[in-house]
Amino acid sequence: MELSLDRLTKHYGSKIAVDCVSAVFQPGVYGLLGANGAGKTTLLRMLCAILEATSGEVFLDGKEVTSMGAAYRDTLGYLPQDFGYYPGYTAMEFLLYISALKGIPNNIARKRAKELLEVVGLENVAGRKIKTFSGGMKQRVGIAQALLNNPGILILDEPTAGLDPKERVRFRNLLSDYAGDKIVILSTHIVSDIEAIADKVLLMKKGKFVLQGTVSELIRKVDGKVWELEVSPEEAREWQAKATVANLRHEGKQIVLRIISDSMPAKKAVLCEAALEDLYLYYFPTEEGVQ
Ligand SMILES: Nc1ncnc2c1ncn2[C@@H]1O[C@H](COP(=O)(O)OP(=O)(O)O)[C@@H](O)[C@H]1O
Ligand SMILES: [Mg+2]
């Protein structure tokens, strides 16, 4: 199975949300990483054929997807960023309702819904109304509904939003179990999620893919650009104003800064091992969305 994008573009009036992006997806987990406003949601909605592209195309195994109609939708599972729940439904009722919309026969739907509620750890609250659920629990219902039709292509927009650390680990394991021969594409602005979950990363900035590769390939781009520098608290403030400081830690009265810089920022600076977050800061030094 191969999903490909060819020069996919979306304009909202004069605003270019997605700017001529091309990529090829094969089975595996792909992480679309970018700050808020980078164009992730717009891109994923075009990938699902629910938003019409201004230009460019999406192909599944060489076939243009909007011409495939229902055959394409049947291979898709999608968790939108602003997923709408029916608060008065129980988790089970909601999954059965979505199954009906997807045309899954009732007897199969009930079995599948039960399995998935177990997978996402909601089996004990299957009969409880969704309006009583926490944000993380609602998100898990959203993940379950995306998996109902056992999709070959799973598209998740900010799926880890609202999940607590334990739920995150469970989600990570769920995805790596599920991926196998399927294409999973998820978006996030949380770097640590990508590092743990994705086989390949697409770094998106202002509607474009600025980098594509495995996590270790991407980290190599900032090798030799990450430095530690011990300074006084006053100097630390100056450095934060003039350099890209990934983080700082207190050591006695001194502060150790982690600075992202193409060249040695100061004589005492020591080169250190790069991480994906450093790469993100290198590309988005002033933008929000780093966690
Ligand atoms: N329906 C819309 N009309 C006009 N502009 C939009 C619309 N949807 C998104 N945008 C703009 O397109 C850009 C990309 O948005 P979006 O795809 O939601 O990014 P992300 O998901 O990465 O935060 C943003 O500047 C956003 O304000
Ligand atoms: Mg978004």
Side-chain angles (χ1 to χ4, degrees):
M1 191 166 45
E2 188 176 278
L3 186 68
S4 62
L5 322 181
D6 183 24
R7 290 165 288 176
L8 204 57
T9 299
K10 182 69 190 182
H11 295 188
Y12 293 113
S14 60
K15 165 96 203 166
I16 304 175
V18 172
D19 192 3
C20 202
V21 303
S22 298
V24 176
F25 300 95
Q26 280 160 348
V29 182
Y30 292 81
L32 188 56
L33 179 63
N36 291 324
K40 304 181 295 296
T41 295
T42 304
L43 177 67
L44 295 183
R45 296 184 70 212
M46 289 192 286
L47 259 182
C48 293
I50 45 178
L51 179 70
E52 201 181 333
T54 305
S55 60
E57 286 164 312
V58 179
F59 296 94
L60 175 60
D61 293 330
K63 273 189 232 147
E64 198 278 312
V65 299
T66 57
S67 70
M68 291 173 66
Y72 181 57
R73 278 195 300 278
D74 288 348
T75 66
L76 278 184
Y78 176 45
L79 173 65
Q81 185 170 1
D82 50 355
F83 188 57
Y85 301 86
Y86 290 80
Y89 279 34
T90 67
M92 177 55 100
E93 283 165 352
F94 182 72
L95 292 184
L96 292 177
Y97 171 70
I98 299 289
S99 302
L101 291 183
K102 291 188 180 192
I104 303 169
N106 199 268
N107 55 338
I108 297 175
R110 191 163 284 277
K111 186 163 168 279
R112 182 78 183 135
K114 198 161 170 283
E115 273 170 22
L116 286 170
L117 286 169
E118 268 167 42
V119 167
V120 297
L122 293 176
E123 68 273 24
N124 295 328
V125 291
R128 237 172 77 184
K129 289 199 166 135
I130 296 176
K131 67 181 168 200
T132 68
F133 284 7
S134 70
M137 287 163 82
K138 284 182 189 157
Q139 196 68 348
R140 287 190 269 155
V141 177
I143 292 163
Q145 67 76 33
L147 292 168
L148 276 169
N149 55 341
N150 200 23
I153 302 168
L154 180 63
I155 295 181
L156 307 163
D157 199 354
E158 307 259 359
T160 58
L163 298 187
D164 66 29
K166 213 171 133 201
E167 289 174 323
R168 257 158 222 268
V169 173
R170 179 196 277 273
F171 174 69
R172 234 178 256 164
N173 296 339
L174 183 163
L175 272 198
S176 49
D177 284 351
Y178 187 76
D181 57 347
K182 303 186 178 75
I183 297 173
V184 179
I185 305 171
L186 63 98
S187 79
T188 182
H189 59 276
I190 303 171
V191 178
S192 56
D193 279 353
I194 290 281
E195 216 157 8
I197 299 172
D199 303 323
K200 283 209 174 141
V201 183
L202 301 113
L203 192 66
M204 198 168 185
K205 181 176 181 176
K206 296 192 174 127
K208 287 197 162 81
F209 290 155
V210 290
L211 272 182
Q212 298 186 33
T214 62
V215 170
S216 53
E217 280 165 0
L218 262 57
I219 291 174
R220 244 177 274 146
K221 301 268 180 201
V222 275
D223 258 354
K225 301 182 198 298
V226 185
W227 310 82
E228 278 197 346
L229 179 64
E230 194 178 313
V231 295
S232 69
E234 297 79 54
E235 289 169 325
R237 274 192 290 278
E238 289 166 23
W239 277 104
Q240 280 180 290
K242 69 180 180 190
T244 304
V245 176
N247 66 32
L248 45 81
R249 69 170 195 273
H250 292 262
E251 266 186 22
K253 286 189 177 148
Q254 293 289 89
I255 289 179
V256 179
L257 300 174
R258 187 178 179 95
I259 296 174
I260 319 290
S261 167
D262 283 318
S263 56
M264 196 182 211
K267 262 205 183 119
K268 287 186 302 168
V270 181
L271 205 55
C272 58
E273 203 179 321
L276 192 61
E277 179 145 14
D278 300 314
L279 174 101
Y280 190 90
L281 284 168
Y282 186 66
Y283 280 91
F284 301 100
T286 57
E287 292 187 51
E288 291 184 8
V290 183
Q291 283 191 17

